[in-house]
Amino acid sequence: MSRFRSLIQASLNATKKALTWNVDDLMPPCEKYIFSFNCKEEIKKWHLYSDSEYGGLSSASLEVTDEGDGFKGLFSGTLSLDVMEGSKWNISRSGFCGMRSKKFNGFIDLDSYDTIALKLKGDGRCYISTIYTENWVNSPGQQEDNSWQAFVYVPAGNWYIAKIPLARYLPTWRGNVIDASMEMNPARVLGMSLSVNAEGGVPGARSGPGDFRVEIDWIKAVRNE
């Protein structure tokens, strides 16, 4: 009888262990790499934009460098508030540059995560992190992706991991926060961008026209709760 009980107990223990393993196996990892600038091929996933497309004089570049500590992305350039003489565009502001990822093949699902983390080395400026999600609003004449933005202050000099809760990303329309009752759908993320403006940002951050420079090691989604 004792042998029979031992077999039953061993079977129960094995079943419990298997069930526990299956639950853990189904749970997504606590972090998910979205971008890692660990090779020169990485920059093919991005394209640059700036006010120069509308008559501004700002410029930007994106490259992958290796200064002895492995490959890193380098987003740099010059911000200008001036506008090209004779420009056909009647722009209300200039002084911005950005790097935007090409659309993912389909979308990525970040529903299991609550925070975006970026490992950066900057220049004391405030940058803007943008998440693009599938447009489910379907407003007349609004065919663009939904965009959600949050400020990222990057101290100068040292590597810094910025963590931005998804709840801090606000809905925007062409760079302006919109007053609308919208919720981000993190299960349908189409792309991301990192940009910089000559003006605005958080108090104490460097601002104004001139050079900007930020190194990027990686961008992850993490689960803190």
Side-chain angles (χ1 to χ4, degrees):
M1 181 65 70
S2 61
R3 183 181 178 186
F4 179 73
R5 288 177 178 172
S6 297
L7 288 172
I8 292 294
Q9 187 61 50
S11 177
L12 289 172
N13 290 340
T15 301
K16 185 183 296 185
K17 185 177 180 180
L19 288 173
T20 301
W21 181 86
N22 286 335
V23 170
D24 291 340
D25 188 53
L26 291 173
M27 177 67 70
C30 61
E31 62 180 35
K32 176 186 180 77
Y33 275 98
I34 304 175
F35 297 103
S36 180
F37 292 81
N38 56 4
C39 67
K40 293 186 177 182
E41 293 294 308
E42 182 68 19
I43 59 174
K44 293 181 180 180
K45 298 178 182 178
W46 300 82
H47 65 83
L48 296 167
Y49 62 91
S50 72
D51 56 41
S52 63
E53 300 173 34
Y54 308 99
L57 296 176
S58 300
S59 61
S61 66
L62 176 62
E63 57 186 318
V64 173
T65 64
D66 185 0
E67 299 182 356
D69 57 347
F71 289 112
K72 303 290 188 294
L74 174 60
F75 174 48
S76 61
T78 302
L79 297 169
S80 173
L81 298 177
D82 297 327
V83 177
M84 188 181 303
E85 186 175 350
S87 170
K88 66 178 182 178
W89 298 97
N90 183 23
I91 60 175
S92 59
R93 61 177 180 171
S94 61
F96 65 87
C97 294
M99 50 181 280
R100 176 170 176 170
S101 70
K102 296 176 181 177
K103 280 194 175 184
F104 300 126
N105 185 16
F107 57 88
I108 62 171
D109 184 353
L110 301 183
D111 199 37
S112 299
Y113 303 93
D114 54 53
T115 301
I116 297 297
L118 307 91
K119 186 176 180 182
L120 308 167
K121 185 196 286 187
D123 51 7
R125 286 188 181 272
C126 186
Y127 291 79
I128 300 171
S129 171
T130 305
I131 298 174
Y132 301 96
T133 59
E134 185 178 57
N135 176 17
W136 54 270
V137 178
N138 293 322
S139 300
Q142 210 281 66
Q143 301 300 320
E144 298 180 18
D145 305 327
N146 293 148
S147 62
W148 310 79
Q149 296 186 330
F151 285 128
V152 187
Y153 170 63
V154 187
N158 297 312
W159 284 104
Y160 170 75
I161 297 179
K163 293 185 176 181
I164 314 168
L166 290 178
R168 267 183 43 199
Y169 282 85
L170 299 177
T172 62
W173 168 245
R174 297 184 178 178
N176 297 308
V177 176
I178 60 175
D179 184 13
S181 298
M182 297 172 60
E183 287 188 18
M184 181 193 296
N185 182 2
R188 309 284 289 189
V189 175
L190 300 173
M192 308 183 90
S193 72
L194 188 69
S195 58
V196 59
N197 290 341
E199 300 178 325
V202 299
R206 178 186 163 203
S207 62
D211 295 343
F212 69 88
R213 174 190 173 96
V214 61
E215 293 180 74
I216 313 164
D217 192 346
W218 45 252
I219 301 173
K220 297 178 183 177
V222 300
R223 184 173 59 252
N224 287 319
E225 296 181 0

